Structures are given as C-alpha cells and as structure tokens.
Amino acid sequence: MTTHRFADGNAGGTEILADDLARALKARGLHVSWLAAGDAPPPHQHTADEYLSLPAAFADDYPVGWRAPEAKQARRVEQLLATKALVDLVHVLHFSRTGLEFLDVPSLRGVPVVATLTDYTAVCPDHQLVVRSTGTQCTATAASRDCLGCLNAPGEAVGDVASWRARNVAWLNGRVRALWTQTPHQAAELARAGVDVGKVVRDRACYGLPAAWGPLASGGPAGQCLLFLGRCSPEKGLHLLLDAFRASDTELPLLIATVPDDKTYEEQMRALAATDPRVRWLPQVSRADVGPLLAGARALLVPSQWWENHPLVAHEARALGVPVWSSAVPSMSHLADEPGFHLVEDYQDPAAWTRALDAASRHRAPRVPSFGRRVGGFERFVDEIVSVYRKVVAA
C-alpha cells in the first residue's frame, strides 16, 4: 500500500484512510506493508506490520525532471523489498512523493496493481486542479503548459509535465486492474482526461471512524459554536468564510482548527480572524479530539472553492449527527439529498455564506447520528476491497 506520506499529526484524508484501511485489512488476516516518503511513525504507533520508508527525494517543482527522482525511489524500493516476503498486490493511494517507476522493479514487475485516487494527482501535478495564482478551478484537460505557473517552472519544462501526465493515464489504463474514486464528479473529470473509468469499483468515498467516538453519537441538543476544520490553504475558502462571518449577526463563536499547509495564507487568515472577538483559532487538534470538537458544534462549515473529494470531516460530522453547510461545488452535488447536508449554491459570494451562517446559527433540529450505519458501511467497503484483491490476484 503506497501513499505520499505516513499518517502523523498533520495527516489528511488520504493518510487517515490508509491508516484505517491498514488496520482493517490486517484484522482480516492480510499482511500489509505501507510504503511512503519520510519518517515512519514511532513503533508504539504502528498499525501495519511494516513501514517502508523512502527518502523525500522530490523537489517542490516535481514532476519537472521526474524521471531521475522516480528512478532513485525505485532503486530504494528494490533495496527495501530485497529482504521482504514476495508481494502479491500493490494498492496505490497516492504517488506524489514515491512516483510510479518503482512498480517496474524486478520484484514488482508483473504484480497486479489497484488504485484509489483521493484527488486529481494523476492529471494535475498540483493535485487539486486549482490555479494557484488566482484560486480558480482548473480542468483535467488543461494544456500541460498551464501547469508551469503553479509549479513555478520554466517554459522548457512543459515536456516533462506532458510526459508525466501521459505516463500516469497510460498507467491507470494499462497496469491498474481496479480503481476507486471519491466522487462521481471526480470520476467524470478523470474520464475527460482519458482515464478508463470502466475499472471504477466505487465512485463514492468511504471512511472509517474511531470507535471511541461512538458515545458522542447519541443525539442531544444543538451545539454552541460554528466550526471550520481543514487545511489552511486558499482553495478551502477560509478567507471567504471569515468575510461572511464578520457580516453576520450570529452570537455563536466561530472555532477554527486547521492543518498547516500554506504559511503565508495562514498568517493572513490569523490576522483577519484576530479582528473579530467571536473567532477563536484553536491549537492543532489530534484526530482523537476531532470527535468531541465536532460533537460540540452547531454546524460544520465547508466553504471550499475547489472540487472537493467528499472531505473526511464532513463524513465524520454527519456520523455524529452534526449538520454540514458546504459549498455547492460540482463534486459535492451527489450529497444534495443526504439529510443534514446543506449546499450553498452561490458559494463564491460572501453574502451567500453570511446567509448560510445565519441559517446554521438558527438550526436547532434534533440530531440524527448515523455512526453505527457508517461503521458498518466501512466494514462492508473493506470486505469489497478484499474481494477485489482476491479476484485480481487470481486472474
């Protein structure tokens, strides 16, 4: 199983999904080795049988000059596997720091591969199909030359970007036997880029939940704060939410808990938040503490300006019965009919978010948790994955 990094204090949805998946697969008797770049967690945090740690060999402008660092990672993978048991299957969840060349080392050549695409990395070197300079949405069919600005790369690098994108699509279409995406919109966008989505097993995200959160999902009265929880980067829309909140008359405090991402942006947002005494910026929150934080919220706010991939925190909020107000970005439209999920149509307009904040503040409907149903859903999801593994290995 491969990701771009291991689960740690700054873990995002991909790492948490991988961590939960490793635990569940191990509980079903599978031997799991987790390959990623960077330092492995300390031994007392081990949840998989092994961690295969690669150096962080890629520069910030990857995939410029991608062949050399990917070859370096491949050589390291071959060294790591030299003393390990034979691999029956590779499940790629992310490859932005491992590359894909390692799949052709002698010990993995011919081994079947499946993939979970948790964002748009296969077609976008900046992962999210967002134009960094403007914060506007990009597309999977954008010219490779358009990627250079986000990478701060020179014009002559366009060939590297183009060849890397073509390699990724060819890999998905040729080597990958089964594919999972997070939303129907993501699958459709990848299809426009030439990815064969006929291999998609499921096009909706499914996440695990910490067992310790179970008692929090008991319904109860509405919470006493509004909550933003996510990466601190422009595409997450925190700036828009803060503008809207300052125009709102709500007496509820706005709690902000972020994962570090864009240092300059975070400094700007902290300065903006400091101008309103109703805003509280919390210290970094561990996953164990996310549950109580969510359970105490009147509503979770997801003002994302990019094509989200069903954010983990929204899944967690609904499991605990906490209502969600989310941007009506196309990738979230499949959740429109889910109880407790409210889509903000004019999501680029601060005034629309002010109205959403007011509605969320007034919301006092009884909570309807779905914790048990979602835990059971994840167990069935893992069973589905294991079934696909066995079919792929036997083919």
Side-chain angles (χ1 to χ4, degrees):
M1 183 174 66
T2 75
T3 60
H4 54 324
R5 58 192 176 98
F6 297 107
D8 56 20
N10 294 330
T14 299
E15 296 78 47
I16 291 173
L17 172 62
D19 198 36
D20 288 345
L21 185 56
R23 294 172 190 266
L25 292 172
K26 184 179 177 182
R28 286 161 173 76
L30 278 71
H31 177 89
V32 179
S33 294
W34 186 345
L35 174 74
D39 296 330
H44 72 276
Q45 295 181 7
H46 282 189
T47 58
D49 291 337
E50 295 182 77
Y51 286 87
L52 305 181
S53 179
L54 296 176
F58 292 1
D60 290 341
D61 63 355
Y62 172 83
V64 175
W66 60 272
R67 292 178 178 84
E70 286 206 17
K72 180 178 180 180
Q73 296 294 55
R75 290 191 294 270
R76 179 59 177 157
V77 170
E78 186 66 357
Q79 294 169 358
L80 290 171
L81 294 179
T83 59
K84 308 296 181 184
L86 294 177
V87 175
D88 296 308
L89 177 138
V90 179
H91 190 156
V92 176
L93 280 86
H94 217 288
F95 60 91
S96 63
R97 299 176 74 203
T98 64
L100 294 171
E101 291 299 292
F102 74 91
L103 292 168
D104 286 326
V105 301
S107 57
L108 295 179
R109 192 173 299 141
V111 171
V113 178
V114 300
T116 297
L117 301 183
T118 56
D119 58 20
Y120 298 93
T121 294
V123 293
C124 171
D126 203 30
H127 318 319
Q128 298 169 110
L129 289 184
V130 173
V131 180
R132 284 284 175 181
S133 60
T134 63
T136 56
Q137 193 68 53
C138 194
T139 68
T141 54
S144 294
R145 184 168 295 280
D146 295 344
C147 302
L148 302 182
C150 292
L151 296 172
N152 292 317
E156 56 266 25
V158 67
D160 283 342
V161 175
S163 63
W164 177 82
R165 295 174 78 195
R167 185 279 306 267
N168 297 344
V169 172
W171 164 73
L172 285 165
N173 290 344
R175 184 78 183 272
V176 171
R177 308 280 188 87
L179 182 63
W180 288 266
T181 62
Q182 304 298 283
T183 71
H185 183 271
Q186 181 199 14
E189 189 68 21
L190 293 167
R192 282 190 283 273
V195 175
D196 177 10
V197 293
K199 300 177 181 180
V200 172
V201 180
R202 183 189 293 222
D203 63 2
R204 285 165 172 76
C206 190
Y207 299 107
L209 292 163
W213 292 6
L216 301 172
S218 57
Q224 297 304 310
C225 67
L226 303 171
L227 178 64
F228 173 91
L229 181 61
R231 286 187 296 107
C232 197
S233 54
E235 66 274 11
K236 288 293 186 177
L238 179 57
H239 56 286
L240 188 146
L241 181 63
L242 285 171
D243 285 344
F245 186 76
R246 293 164 70 195
S248 170
D249 294 330
T250 181
E251 296 181 358
L252 292 180
L254 172 63
L255 273 56
I256 299 174
T258 61
V259 175
D261 191 11
D262 185 320
K263 182 178 179 180
T264 300
Y265 179 78
E266 181 172 343
E267 291 174 350
Q268 294 170 347
M269 293 305 99
R270 285 183 178 272
L272 186 58
T275 64
D276 192 321
R278 297 172 298 170
V279 180
R280 291 174 49 203
W281 200 300
L282 304 178
Q284 191 165 337
V285 179
S286 68
R287 193 185 186 199
D289 293 330
V290 165
L293 183 61
L294 279 169
R298 180 75 56 87
L300 175 72
L301 308 169
V302 185
S304 293
Q305 300 297 292
W306 75 295
W307 293 336
E308 275 283 6
N309 277 314
H310 194 153
L312 170 63
V313 67
H315 175 85
E316 293 171 338
R318 294 305 305 131
L320 298 177
V322 178
V324 176
W325 268 261
S326 168
S327 295
V329 290
S331 57
M332 300 292 273
S333 61
H334 66 291
L335 299 172
D337 296 328
E338 180 173 325
F341 211 95
H342 308 269
L343 294 176
V344 180
E345 293 297 335
D346 298 324
Y347 60 88
Q348 297 176 324
D349 181 3
W353 275 100
T354 298
R355 293 191 293 272
L357 285 164
D358 292 340
S361 298
R362 295 190 302 268
H363 189 81
R364 293 183 177 276
R367 292 189 174 182
V368 183
S370 56
F371 189 87
R373 175 172 62 82
R374 292 171 189 266
V375 169
F378 183 71
E379 293 300 311
R380 291 188 292 276
F381 176 62
V382 178
D383 288 339
E384 172 189 276
I385 289 175
V386 173
S387 176
V388 172
Y389 285 175
R390 298 194 187 284
K391 291 177 182 178
V392 166
V393 169

